[in-house]
Amino acid sequence: MTNSLKKDWDQTISGNFSEKSNLVFDSTQLTDFFKSYPDVKGYEQDIRSFYHKRNFSYAWFDNGVLIEQAGNLGNRLMNLENDGVYKQLSYLKALDSLLYGSNNTDSLGKPDIRLELMLTSEYFVFSKLAWEGMTPAVSKSNKWYLPRKKVAYDQYLDSLLTTPIKELSANEPVYRQYELLKTYLKKYRALEARETWLPIAITIKPLKPGDTSSTILQIKKRLFKLEDYQGDTLSQVFNSDLSSAIKNFQERNGLIKNGLPNKATIAELNIPLKSRIKQILVNMERSRWLPVTLNREYVAVNIPEYKLHVYRCVPGRQLTMEL
């Protein structure tokens, strides 16, 4: 790894390489594992390289006891939909049985090698799906043709095992917008599960501050659910709080920020939740392809905003020019 790449990598993770354990396993057990679980054989080189660097010591056990990172990873694997990944892992049921069974050791009292290798293999499957992107066909269908970023996932796993963290998502090697999209995915899925997203009717006469209308009440309730509005949802009066909330919504959606519920704003408010969720999923996939950090000049086009942003990164600050 070059010095510049190493510097970029160090900025994306915390911790150092994990200490080598005195508890080791026979390397031939890897061969037996891949025979029993052929669907992860495509990751054999990564897995063998990871354990070779560790002198084939156990990674997920400390003094024969399963470490907390194992449970964190298991939870993340069981909830792939939270990462916008629709592809299912092949051996989740087997992992669940091994991970949450009554005993994590074999008949000789040693850590269960199947659980050890299953956790590692499913980590590599997950990391390349959630942090690198799904199949090229998915990216092609999304019209996203950037070359895939390359991440040393074995090094990231080594750091993960050394640094106790509550969530696997902490400092993960993915573009910063990914976590924001992930938060909104959770939010919109919760809305879809409990709300009926009926269209808001566009009034014949444009609404302005001080007006009273049942449509205003609908807009207030919609913006309240979207967390743009925090005021009274019982009054039909177009007040200053509503105007501020509309401006916030318009800014978030790249609309003209005038605080008025015009046709464009109502159209955005009426977009079905399923469409929003699909939009978020597409952009999460796009974010997986982007570099972990953008430390040079780059251009971002915001289509709804009708603006092109040129970024020039300077150590300690970021300069922006709008066109």
Side-chain angles (χ1 to χ4, degrees):
M1 182 181 294
T2 65
N3 289 335
S4 61
L5 286 176
K6 186 178 186 303
K7 183 178 179 181
D8 290 343
W9 174 254
D10 290 343
Q11 291 175 349
T12 68
I13 61 174
S14 57
N16 302 307
F17 294 139
S18 56
E19 297 293 331
K20 300 297 186 292
S21 168
N22 291 326
L23 190 61
V24 299
F25 61 88
D26 191 326
S27 61
T28 60
Q29 291 178 287
L30 280 168
T31 302
D32 295 336
F33 176 80
F34 291 121
K35 286 181 180 178
S36 299
Y37 303 99
D39 286 358
V40 296
K41 191 169 177 59
Y43 300 89
E44 182 174 0
Q45 183 176 348
D46 291 318
I47 297 168
R48 285 188 180 277
S49 175
F50 172 69
Y51 281 110
H52 179 75
K53 293 174 183 176
R54 298 177 56 85
N55 294 324
F56 298 95
S57 63
Y58 283 82
W60 300 94
F61 290 85
D62 183 19
N63 293 323
V65 179
L66 204 62
I67 61 177
E68 72 165 333
Q69 288 92 330
N72 292 337
L73 176 63
N75 181 64
R76 191 76 177 268
L77 295 174
M78 303 298 174
N79 295 281
L80 281 177
E81 68 276 5
N82 295 337
D83 280 276
V85 176
Y86 60 80
K87 187 174 182 179
Q88 291 297 311
L89 305 186
S90 298
Y91 302 115
L92 276 186
K93 289 185 178 179
L95 174 61
D96 184 67
S97 178
L98 291 168
L99 189 59
Y100 300 107
S102 58
N103 199 343
N104 297 138
T105 59
D106 61 19
S107 58
L108 300 177
K110 293 184 64 176
D112 192 330
I113 188 62
R114 294 173 303 162
L115 175 56
E116 167 72 23
L117 298 180
M118 184 66 76
L119 283 165
T120 302
S121 61
E122 294 291 49
Y123 160 81
F124 279 105
V125 177
F126 164 81
S127 63
K128 294 195 176 184
L129 280 174
W131 299 330
E132 188 174 311
M134 289 182 270
T135 65
V138 173
S139 297
K140 185 177 181 180
S141 68
N142 290 336
K143 297 180 174 57
W144 197 246
Y145 301 108
L146 286 177
R148 288 176 184 265
K149 70 174 184 286
K150 299 297 181 183
V151 176
Y153 292 113
D154 59 333
Q155 293 183 18
Y156 182 75
L157 175 56
D158 218 346
S159 178
L160 175 70
L161 292 168
T162 274
T163 310
I165 55 175
K166 296 300 180 183
E167 294 292 337
L168 183 60
S169 60
N171 299 315
E172 61 188 35
V174 72
Y175 182 56
R176 60 188 177 84
Q177 293 293 335
Y178 181 84
E179 280 301 317
L180 296 174
L181 289 166
K182 185 177 173 181
T183 299
Y184 274 92
L185 177 62
K186 181 179 179 180
K187 171 182 171 179
Y188 276 95
R189 278 179 168 164
L191 284 172
E192 185 188 31
R194 67 174 186 265
E195 301 292 345
T196 302
W197 217 246
L198 298 176
I200 298 172
I202 298 176
T203 58
I204 298 175
K205 181 182 177 181
L207 295 169
K208 62 183 185 301
D211 285 348
T212 301
S213 168
S214 59
T215 299
I216 291 173
L217 186 60
Q218 289 179 285
I219 295 171
K220 283 184 176 181
K221 290 181 177 179
R222 179 64 50 88
L223 290 173
F224 182 83
K225 292 172 183 177
L226 292 172
E227 299 177 10
D228 292 288
Y229 178 68
Q230 303 298 325
D232 180 15
T233 57
L234 299 177
S235 170
Q236 296 187 5
V237 178
F238 190 161
N239 55 20
S240 59
D241 287 343
L242 177 58
S243 181
S244 297
I246 292 174
K247 286 181 180 179
N248 189 60
F249 176 81
Q250 290 169 332
E251 184 176 28
R252 289 198 302 107
N253 289 275
L255 301 171
I256 296 174
K257 188 179 172 182
N258 57 17
L260 299 175
N262 50 32
K263 289 183 179 180
T265 301
I266 297 297
E268 284 292 320
L269 286 169
N270 284 339
I271 290 179
L273 291 171
K274 285 186 181 296
S275 298
R276 284 294 189 203
I277 291 170
K278 182 178 179 181
Q279 187 179 29
I280 293 170
L281 291 173
V282 167
N283 283 288
M284 286 181 75
E285 176 63 13
R286 287 171 172 172
S287 292
R288 295 184 182 105
W289 286 59
L290 291 169
V292 176
T293 57
L294 296 174
N295 54 5
R296 58 188 183 276
E297 292 79 6
Y298 62 96
V299 174
V301 180
N302 187 333
I303 295 175
E305 193 182 17
Y306 295 99
K307 284 186 179 180
L308 181 148
H309 300 265
V310 180
Y311 295 89
R312 183 185 179 192
C313 297
V314 178
R317 59 195 178 116
Q318 180 174 267
L319 304 179
T320 307
M321 177 176 69
E322 294 183 357
L323 300 175

